Short mmCIF file of all heavy atoms in Angstrom, two decimals:
data_model
loop_
_atom_site.label_atom_id
_atom_site.label_comp_id
_atom_site.label_asym_id
_atom_site.label_seq_id
_atom_site.Cartn_x
_atom_site.Cartn_y
_atom_site.Cartn_z
N ARG E 2 -1.92 -0.64 9.54
CA ARG E 2 -2.16 0.62 10.24
C ARG E 2 -0.88 1.20 10.81
O ARG E 2 -0.60 2.40 10.68
CB ARG E 2 -3.15 0.45 11.41
CG ARG E 2 -3.66 1.72 12.01
CD ARG E 2 -4.73 1.51 13.06
NE ARG E 2 -5.65 0.46 12.80
CZ ARG E 2 -5.83 -0.62 13.57
NH1 ARG E 2 -5.12 -0.75 14.72
NH2 ARG E 2 -6.72 -1.53 13.24
N MET E 3 -0.02 0.33 11.39
CA MET E 3 1.26 0.76 11.97
C MET E 3 2.15 1.34 10.84
O MET E 3 2.71 2.45 11.00
CB MET E 3 1.92 -0.42 12.64
CG MET E 3 3.27 -0.10 13.26
SD MET E 3 4.05 -1.50 14.00
CE MET E 3 4.40 -2.48 12.59
N VAL E 4 2.28 0.63 9.76
CA VAL E 4 3.19 1.11 8.68
C VAL E 4 2.64 2.35 8.02
O VAL E 4 3.36 3.28 7.70
CB VAL E 4 3.39 -0.05 7.59
CG1 VAL E 4 4.12 0.45 6.37
CG2 VAL E 4 4.10 -1.21 8.22
N SER E 5 1.29 2.37 7.79
CA SER E 5 0.68 3.54 7.21
C SER E 5 0.91 4.82 8.03
O SER E 5 1.23 5.86 7.53
CB SER E 5 -0.80 3.31 7.03
OG SER E 5 -1.44 4.38 6.41
N ASN E 6 0.73 4.67 9.35
CA ASN E 6 0.95 5.83 10.27
C ASN E 6 2.40 6.33 10.21
O ASN E 6 2.63 7.51 10.25
CB ASN E 6 0.50 5.46 11.67
CG ASN E 6 -1.01 5.40 11.86
OD1 ASN E 6 -1.74 6.00 11.03
ND2 ASN E 6 -1.46 4.70 12.86
N TYR E 7 3.26 5.39 10.25
CA TYR E 7 4.71 5.67 10.17
C TYR E 7 5.05 6.46 8.90
O TYR E 7 5.74 7.49 8.93
CB TYR E 7 5.53 4.38 10.18
CG TYR E 7 7.03 4.56 10.17
CD1 TYR E 7 7.75 4.87 11.31
CD2 TYR E 7 7.69 4.52 8.96
CE1 TYR E 7 9.12 5.05 11.26
CE2 TYR E 7 9.07 4.69 8.90
CZ TYR E 7 9.81 4.94 10.00
OH TYR E 7 11.15 5.13 9.98
N LEU E 8 4.52 6.04 7.73
CA LEU E 8 4.80 6.69 6.48
C LEU E 8 4.17 8.04 6.43
O LEU E 8 4.78 9.00 5.96
CB LEU E 8 4.30 5.82 5.30
CG LEU E 8 5.03 4.46 5.16
CD1 LEU E 8 4.39 3.67 4.06
CD2 LEU E 8 6.47 4.69 4.89
N LYS E 9 2.94 8.20 6.93
CA LYS E 9 2.24 9.55 6.98
C LYS E 9 3.07 10.49 7.76
O LYS E 9 3.17 11.67 7.39
CB LYS E 9 0.84 9.37 7.52
CG LYS E 9 -0.13 8.74 6.59
CD LYS E 9 -1.50 8.58 7.29
CE LYS E 9 -2.48 7.85 6.41
NZ LYS E 9 -3.75 7.63 7.13
N GLN E 10 3.58 10.10 8.94
CA GLN E 10 4.38 10.94 9.79
C GLN E 10 5.63 11.46 9.07
O GLN E 10 6.16 12.51 9.42
CB GLN E 10 4.78 10.27 11.06
CG GLN E 10 3.63 9.98 11.99
CD GLN E 10 4.03 9.09 13.15
OE1 GLN E 10 5.18 8.63 13.27
NE2 GLN E 10 3.14 8.80 14.06
N ARG E 11 6.03 10.80 8.06
CA ARG E 11 7.25 11.16 7.29
C ARG E 11 6.89 11.86 5.94
O ARG E 11 7.75 11.99 5.08
CB ARG E 11 8.11 9.97 7.09
CG ARG E 11 8.98 9.75 8.30
CD ARG E 11 9.11 8.33 8.65
NE ARG E 11 9.77 8.16 10.00
CZ ARG E 11 9.19 8.16 11.13
NH1 ARG E 11 7.85 8.33 11.17
NH2 ARG E 11 9.84 8.03 12.26
N GLY E 12 5.64 12.24 5.79
CA GLY E 12 5.24 13.01 4.65
C GLY E 12 4.91 12.18 3.37
O GLY E 12 4.77 12.76 2.32
N LEU E 13 4.85 10.86 3.53
CA LEU E 13 4.53 10.05 2.37
C LEU E 13 3.03 9.80 2.30
O LEU E 13 2.28 10.05 3.22
CB LEU E 13 5.26 8.68 2.48
CG LEU E 13 6.80 8.84 2.61
CD1 LEU E 13 7.40 7.45 2.87
CD2 LEU E 13 7.38 9.44 1.36
N GLU E 14 2.58 9.30 1.17
CA GLU E 14 1.13 9.14 0.88
C GLU E 14 0.84 7.60 0.74
O GLU E 14 0.82 7.04 -0.34
CB GLU E 14 0.72 9.82 -0.42
CG GLU E 14 1.00 11.23 -0.39
CD GLU E 14 0.81 11.84 -1.79
OE1 GLU E 14 -0.06 11.34 -2.52
OE2 GLU E 14 1.50 12.81 -2.17
N PRO E 15 0.55 6.94 1.87
CA PRO E 15 0.27 5.54 1.78
C PRO E 15 -1.16 5.20 1.34
O PRO E 15 -2.09 5.96 1.66
CB PRO E 15 0.49 4.99 3.16
CG PRO E 15 0.26 6.18 4.06
CD PRO E 15 0.64 7.37 3.24
N THR E 16 -1.34 4.16 0.57
CA THR E 16 -2.65 3.60 0.19
C THR E 16 -2.56 2.15 0.67
O THR E 16 -1.54 1.51 0.46
CB THR E 16 -2.91 3.69 -1.25
OG1 THR E 16 -2.89 5.06 -1.68
CG2 THR E 16 -4.28 3.10 -1.65
N THR E 17 -3.64 1.64 1.22
CA THR E 17 -3.60 0.24 1.70
C THR E 17 -4.61 -0.60 0.95
O THR E 17 -5.73 -0.18 0.61
CB THR E 17 -3.90 0.20 3.22
OG1 THR E 17 -5.20 0.77 3.45
CG2 THR E 17 -2.92 0.95 4.05
N VAL E 18 -4.18 -1.83 0.71
CA VAL E 18 -5.01 -2.87 0.12
C VAL E 18 -4.73 -4.16 0.91
O VAL E 18 -3.73 -4.27 1.60
CB VAL E 18 -4.76 -3.08 -1.42
CG1 VAL E 18 -5.15 -1.85 -2.16
CG2 VAL E 18 -3.26 -3.40 -1.68
N PHE E 19 -5.71 -5.10 0.86
CA PHE E 19 -5.67 -6.23 1.73
C PHE E 19 -5.60 -7.61 1.06
O PHE E 19 -5.66 -8.62 1.76
CB PHE E 19 -6.85 -6.17 2.73
CG PHE E 19 -6.82 -4.86 3.48
CD1 PHE E 19 -7.70 -3.81 3.16
CD2 PHE E 19 -5.97 -4.72 4.53
CE1 PHE E 19 -7.64 -2.61 3.89
CE2 PHE E 19 -5.92 -3.56 5.23
CZ PHE E 19 -6.77 -2.53 4.91
N ASP E 20 -5.55 -7.63 -0.24
CA ASP E 20 -5.41 -8.93 -0.96
C ASP E 20 -4.74 -8.75 -2.30
O ASP E 20 -4.49 -7.61 -2.73
CB ASP E 20 -6.73 -9.68 -1.10
CG ASP E 20 -7.77 -8.99 -2.01
OD1 ASP E 20 -7.31 -8.57 -3.10
OD2 ASP E 20 -8.93 -8.96 -1.70
N GLY E 21 -4.36 -9.82 -2.93
CA GLY E 21 -3.65 -9.81 -4.16
C GLY E 21 -4.35 -9.04 -5.28
O GLY E 21 -3.76 -8.34 -6.02
N MET E 22 -5.60 -9.35 -5.49
CA MET E 22 -6.39 -8.73 -6.58
C MET E 22 -6.48 -7.27 -6.39
O MET E 22 -6.31 -6.48 -7.35
CB MET E 22 -7.80 -9.37 -6.69
CG MET E 22 -7.81 -10.79 -7.11
SD MET E 22 -6.94 -11.07 -8.68
CE MET E 22 -7.96 -10.14 -9.80
N GLN E 23 -6.69 -6.76 -5.17
CA GLN E 23 -6.76 -5.34 -4.92
C GLN E 23 -5.36 -4.70 -5.25
O GLN E 23 -5.31 -3.61 -5.80
CB GLN E 23 -7.07 -5.05 -3.40
CG GLN E 23 -8.48 -5.28 -3.03
CD GLN E 23 -8.69 -4.98 -1.57
OE1 GLN E 23 -7.74 -4.96 -0.78
NE2 GLN E 23 -9.95 -4.74 -1.23
N THR E 24 -4.30 -5.45 -4.91
CA THR E 24 -2.96 -4.90 -5.19
C THR E 24 -2.74 -4.67 -6.66
O THR E 24 -2.29 -3.60 -7.05
CB THR E 24 -1.89 -5.89 -4.63
OG1 THR E 24 -2.12 -6.15 -3.26
CG2 THR E 24 -0.48 -5.36 -4.82
N LEU E 25 -3.11 -5.64 -7.46
CA LEU E 25 -2.96 -5.49 -8.92
C LEU E 25 -3.80 -4.35 -9.46
O LEU E 25 -3.39 -3.55 -10.25
CB LEU E 25 -3.34 -6.77 -9.64
CG LEU E 25 -2.41 -7.95 -9.39
CD1 LEU E 25 -2.98 -9.21 -9.99
CD2 LEU E 25 -1.02 -7.65 -9.92
N MET E 26 -5.08 -4.24 -9.00
CA MET E 26 -5.97 -3.21 -9.47
C MET E 26 -5.43 -1.84 -9.08
O MET E 26 -5.40 -0.90 -9.91
CB MET E 26 -7.40 -3.41 -8.96
CG MET E 26 -8.10 -4.60 -9.56
SD MET E 26 -9.78 -4.93 -8.97
CE MET E 26 -10.09 -3.86 -7.62
N PHE E 27 -5.07 -1.63 -7.84
CA PHE E 27 -4.65 -0.35 -7.34
C PHE E 27 -3.31 0.08 -8.01
O PHE E 27 -3.07 1.23 -8.34
CB PHE E 27 -4.56 -0.30 -5.84
CG PHE E 27 -5.82 0.07 -5.18
CD1 PHE E 27 -6.84 -0.83 -5.00
CD2 PHE E 27 -6.02 1.37 -4.70
CE1 PHE E 27 -8.02 -0.48 -4.37
CE2 PHE E 27 -7.20 1.75 -4.07
CZ PHE E 27 -8.22 0.83 -3.93
N ALA E 28 -2.39 -0.93 -8.10
CA ALA E 28 -1.09 -0.61 -8.73
C ALA E 28 -1.29 -0.05 -10.17
O ALA E 28 -0.62 0.90 -10.56
CB ALA E 28 -0.22 -1.81 -8.70
N ARG E 29 -2.14 -0.71 -10.90
CA ARG E 29 -2.34 -0.32 -12.30
C ARG E 29 -3.14 1.00 -12.40
O ARG E 29 -2.91 1.79 -13.30
CB ARG E 29 -3.15 -1.38 -13.00
CG ARG E 29 -2.31 -2.65 -13.25
CD ARG E 29 -3.11 -3.74 -13.91
NE ARG E 29 -2.22 -4.92 -14.02
CZ ARG E 29 -2.64 -6.16 -13.86
NH1 ARG E 29 -3.94 -6.40 -13.50
NH2 ARG E 29 -1.82 -7.16 -14.00
N ARG E 30 -4.03 1.26 -11.40
CA ARG E 30 -4.80 2.46 -11.50
C ARG E 30 -4.09 3.66 -10.92
O ARG E 30 -4.16 4.81 -11.45
CB ARG E 30 -6.11 2.26 -10.73
CG ARG E 30 -7.07 3.42 -10.83
CD ARG E 30 -8.39 3.16 -10.26
NE ARG E 30 -8.33 2.41 -8.98
CZ ARG E 30 -9.28 1.73 -8.51
NH1 ARG E 30 -10.49 1.68 -9.10
NH2 ARG E 30 -9.14 1.07 -7.38
N THR E 31 -3.30 3.51 -9.83
CA THR E 31 -2.71 4.68 -9.13
C THR E 31 -1.22 4.84 -9.44
O THR E 31 -0.69 5.90 -9.13
CB THR E 31 -2.90 4.56 -7.64
OG1 THR E 31 -2.16 3.41 -7.12
CG2 THR E 31 -4.38 4.44 -7.25
N MET E 32 -0.59 3.83 -9.99
CA MET E 32 0.86 3.92 -10.28
C MET E 32 1.69 4.46 -9.18
O MET E 32 2.26 5.53 -9.24
CB MET E 32 1.08 4.79 -11.56
CG MET E 32 0.38 4.25 -12.77
SD MET E 32 0.85 2.56 -13.20
CE MET E 32 2.57 2.76 -13.65
N PRO E 33 1.77 3.69 -8.04
CA PRO E 33 2.50 4.13 -6.90
C PRO E 33 4.00 4.19 -7.15
O PRO E 33 4.48 3.63 -8.12
CB PRO E 33 2.25 3.04 -5.82
CG PRO E 33 1.95 1.85 -6.66
CD PRO E 33 1.25 2.33 -7.83
N ASP E 34 4.75 4.95 -6.36
CA ASP E 34 6.18 5.06 -6.48
C ASP E 34 6.90 3.82 -5.96
O ASP E 34 8.00 3.52 -6.40
CB ASP E 34 6.67 6.28 -5.82
CG ASP E 34 6.15 7.57 -6.43
OD1 ASP E 34 6.29 7.78 -7.57
OD2 ASP E 34 5.42 8.35 -5.68
N VAL E 35 6.29 3.15 -5.04
CA VAL E 35 6.85 1.92 -4.45
C VAL E 35 5.70 1.08 -3.89
O VAL E 35 4.64 1.61 -3.50
CB VAL E 35 7.91 2.24 -3.37
CG1 VAL E 35 7.32 2.93 -2.19
CG2 VAL E 35 8.68 0.97 -2.97
N ILE E 36 5.88 -0.21 -3.85
CA ILE E 36 4.91 -1.14 -3.27
C ILE E 36 5.54 -1.97 -2.17
O ILE E 36 6.62 -2.53 -2.33
CB ILE E 36 4.34 -2.12 -4.31
CG1 ILE E 36 3.64 -1.32 -5.45
CG2 ILE E 36 3.39 -3.15 -3.67
CD1 ILE E 36 3.20 -2.17 -6.63
N LEU E 37 4.95 -1.94 -0.98
CA LEU E 37 5.32 -2.83 0.12
C LEU E 37 4.37 -4.06 0.06
O LEU E 37 3.17 -3.89 0.24
CB LEU E 37 5.17 -2.12 1.47
CG LEU E 37 5.96 -0.79 1.60
CD1 LEU E 37 5.73 -0.20 2.99
CD2 LEU E 37 7.43 -0.97 1.31
N LEU E 38 4.93 -5.23 -0.26
CA LEU E 38 4.11 -6.37 -0.59
C LEU E 38 4.32 -7.51 0.38
O LEU E 38 5.41 -8.01 0.59
CB LEU E 38 4.50 -6.81 -2.00
CG LEU E 38 3.75 -8.07 -2.55
CD1 LEU E 38 2.29 -7.80 -2.71
CD2 LEU E 38 4.37 -8.40 -3.91
N ASP E 39 3.22 -7.92 0.98
CA ASP E 39 3.19 -9.16 1.85
C ASP E 39 3.10 -10.39 0.93
O ASP E 39 2.45 -10.34 -0.09
CB ASP E 39 2.02 -9.07 2.79
CG ASP E 39 1.94 -10.24 3.69
OD1 ASP E 39 2.96 -10.88 3.98
OD2 ASP E 39 0.81 -10.53 4.23
N ILE E 40 3.80 -11.42 1.30
CA ILE E 40 3.78 -12.66 0.48
C ILE E 40 2.52 -13.48 0.78
O ILE E 40 1.90 -14.01 -0.17
CB ILE E 40 5.01 -13.50 0.73
CG1 ILE E 40 6.24 -12.79 0.21
CG2 ILE E 40 4.92 -14.90 0.16
CD1 ILE E 40 6.21 -12.56 -1.32
N ASN E 41 2.07 -13.61 1.99
CA ASN E 41 0.93 -14.38 2.37
C ASN E 41 -0.35 -13.57 2.45
O ASN E 41 -0.61 -12.93 3.49
CB ASN E 41 1.17 -15.09 3.73
CG ASN E 41 2.35 -16.01 3.63
OD1 ASN E 41 2.42 -16.81 2.71
ND2 ASN E 41 3.24 -15.94 4.59
N MET E 42 -1.13 -13.52 1.33
CA MET E 42 -2.34 -12.80 1.29
C MET E 42 -3.42 -13.63 0.59
O MET E 42 -3.09 -14.48 -0.22
CB MET E 42 -2.21 -11.49 0.49
CG MET E 42 -1.32 -10.43 1.12
SD MET E 42 -1.40 -8.90 0.19
CE MET E 42 -0.67 -9.43 -1.41
#
């Protein structure tokens, strides 16, 4: 929530996911410009 709000305030379009499988699915479907990835999920 904190990172997403920060990015929105700067005109970026954040999408959030909460586990590894969601990350793979969303990355392949939405083709983001960059991924911020947590190691422990």
Side-chain angles (χ1 to χ4, degrees):
R2 190 175 325 118
M3 180 181 68
V4 172
S5 181
N6 288 338
Y7 179 86
L8 295 174
K9 285 178 186 175
Q10 291 172 357
R11 278 140 188 88
L13 302 174
E14 302 171 32
T16 301
T17 57
V18 294
F19 302 101
D20 67 45
M22 292 305 294
Q23 287 180 339
T24 305
L25 292 172
M26 290 181 349
F27 273 79
R29 291 176 181 141
R30 186 172 41 200
T31 65
M32 300 303 294
D34 297 303
V35 66
I36 298 172
L37 304 179
L38 179 63
D39 182 23
I40 292 298
N41 296 314
M42 291 186 298

